[in-house]
Amino acid sequence: MNSKSLVSIDDISRDEILQLLESARHFEENPNRRLLEGKVVATLFFEPSTRTRLSFETAVNRLGGRVIGFSDASTSSSAKGETLKDTIKMVSNYVDLIVMRHYLEGAARYATEVTDVPVINAGDGANQHPSQTMLDLYSIYKTQGKLENLTITMVGDLKYGRTVHSLIQAMRYFNPTFNFVACEELRMPDEYKELCDRNGIKYTEHTDFSAEVINSSDILYMTRVQRERFTDIMEYEKVKNLYTLRNAMLADAKENLRVLHPLPRITEIDQDVDDNPKAYYFDQARNGLYARQAIICRALGIENA
C-alpha cells in the first residue's frame, strides 16, 4: 500500500488531520494554483455520485492537472466482466493517482494492495468516506472555531451512513459528545459505539428527534435513509420519512448550531430550513473542493505553502 493512500480516516493521525485542515484553509484563500501540472488523476466511480466526483474533478482542474476515468461502471470494461484487480492495474499504467468509489466495502483497501499508485477512497459501500470526513471537519472548524468539546447530534441512517462512521473515528481525537438519533432498524452499529467506549467518548441513543436533543447540539448532522442499501423495499418505505428537520424545530437552538448534511437530501430536511442562517449544508459541499485539494496534494507529496 502506498503510504500516501487515504482509504480510512484511521490512515492519518491527529496531527495529519490538522495539517490537512490548514492546507484546506490555504486552498480556500487561493484555489487556482498550477500544482498538478503534468499530473493525471483517474476518477473511477463504480457507484453514482454528483458532489464527490465533481468536487474531486474540479479540484484537479483548478490545480492544473488532467482527469480521466468514468462516472458509470456500465461504460467501463467491468461491464464485460473485468475484475477490479485488472481494472486497477490497467489504470495504474496511465495515472499518478486513483480516486475510487465502489459499492463494496473494502474495495478501496483491496485496490491499494494491487497497485503502487496512491488511492483515495471516495466511498466504499457503507464503510468509509474519508474525504467527506475532512470536509465535515473543515466545516465544523470554520463554524465553531474549534473541534474540541462539541456536542454532535447524528440523525437518520446511522447503520449504513459511511459519513457518520468516518466522522466518529476522526472526532475521537477531540473529546466530542454524541447524540445518536435513529430508529431501531438504523441504529449506530455496535463497533462504533465500542470505539466511543474505548476512547472515553460520551454518547446517548435516542429514537425521538426531540427539542431537548436539538437544543443541546452544536452540530446537527442529518443523513439520508439510503434506499440503495436496502434489499427489502418495504423496509425502506417503513423508515424513510421517520426523521425530518423543519425550520420551526430550530427556534430555540444554540446560536452557534449549524446543520450539516452530506447530500443529496430527500425528505430529511424541509426546504424551509434552507434560508435559516443555521443551515450550512450547501457551504459544507463547497468546502469539499478545498478539503479534496488538500487530500490530493498530500497523496502526491506536493506542498501547497
Side-chain angles (χ1 to χ4, degrees), residues 277-293:
K278 294 179 170 59
Y280 195 74
Y281 28 90
F282 295 121
D283 300 279
Q284 176 189 1
R286 183 176 63 243
N287 289 337
L289 170 61
Y290 317 125
R292 288 177 173 124
Q293 287 181 311

Side-chain angles (χ1 to χ4, degrees), residues 46-299:
F46 294 86
E47 187 178 57
S49 169
T50 301
R51 278 147 299 278
T52 301
R53 180 177 63 83
L54 291 181
S55 64
F56 265 116
E57 293 183 356
T58 301
V60 174
N61 286 322
R62 287 192 178 277
L63 294 174
R66 300 291 297 275
V67 176
I68 67 170
F70 53 82
S71 59
D72 182 351
S74 68
T75 66
S76 74
S77 289
S78 64
K80 302 175 184 177
E82 183 174 63
T83 64
L84 178 60
K85 176 182 178 181
D86 286 2
T87 299
I88 296 299
K89 292 185 77 67
M90 181 274 296
V91 171
S92 297
N93 291 325
Y94 310 140
V95 303
D96 302 287
L97 172 66
I98 293 172
V99 178
M100 188 177 86
R101 170 170 286 191
H102 203 282
Y103 50 86
L104 291 178
E105 295 184 22
R109 182 71 67 189
Y110 175 73
T112 68
E113 296 170 357
V114 299
T115 181
D116 293 328
V117 172
V119 175
I120 296 173
N121 180 11
D124 61 331
N127 184 31
Q128 287 279 327
H129 198 347
S131 70
Q132 176 73 42
T133 303
M134 289 310 307
L135 75 90
D136 290 343
L137 291 174
Y138 188 50
S139 298
I140 292 169
Y141 184 78
K142 281 182 66 177
T143 61
Q144 305 301 312
K146 63 177 184 177
L147 292 175
E148 294 81 4
N149 305 314
L150 297 172
T151 297
I152 300 175
T153 296
M154 297 175 168
V155 183
D157 186 352
L158 308 188
K159 179 178 181 180
Y160 299 112
R162 58 193 172 199
T163 62
V164 295
H165 299 163
S166 290
L167 186 57
I168 288 171
Q169 289 181 297
M171 286 300 300
R172 74 185 188 274
Y173 298 118
F174 305 106
N175 191 40
T177 297
F178 288 118
N179 297 315
F180 300 142
V181 180
C183 60
E184 186 64 28
E185 294 89 341
L186 297 175
R187 64 199 293 265
M188 185 65 70
D190 288 342
E191 64 184 286
Y192 295 102
K193 291 185 287 186
E194 290 166 4
L195 184 151
C196 290
D197 291 337
R198 289 195 303 272
N199 288 276
I201 296 170
K202 299 183 290 294
Y203 66 88
T204 58
E205 293 188 90
H206 310 264
T207 55
D208 183 23
F209 191 21
S210 68
E212 180 182 3
V213 168
I214 293 171
N215 296 343
S216 71
S217 305
D218 301 300
I219 294 292
L220 187 55
Y221 198 103
M222 303 297 297
T223 67
R224 169 178 67 94
V225 177
Q226 302 174 73
R227 180 175 180 172
E228 63 269 29
R229 307 294 176 211
F230 284 78
T231 56
D232 185 342
I233 193 63
M234 295 305 294
E235 286 298 309
Y236 168 76
E237 292 292 333
K238 184 170 69 173
V239 300
K240 68 176 183 178
N241 293 322
L242 285 180
Y243 302 106
T244 299
L245 179 66
R246 298 178 176 83
N247 193 48
M249 298 165 69
L250 298 173
D252 297 319
K254 291 182 180 180
E255 189 63 33
N256 66 298
L257 173 75
R258 292 298 179 269
V259 180
L260 303 187
H261 191 305
L263 301 175
R265 64 154 167 206
I266 309 299
T267 61
E268 60 278 0
I269 300 179
D270 264 4
Q271 300 280 335
D272 68 355
V273 178
D274 293 355
D275 293 329
N276 192 307
K278 294 179 170 59
Y280 195 74
Y281 28 90
F282 295 121
D283 300 279
Q284 176 189 1
R286 183 176 63 243
N287 289 337
L289 170 61
Y290 317 125
R292 288 177 173 124
Q293 287 181 311
I295 290 167
I296 288 167
C297 286
R298 174 189 176 274

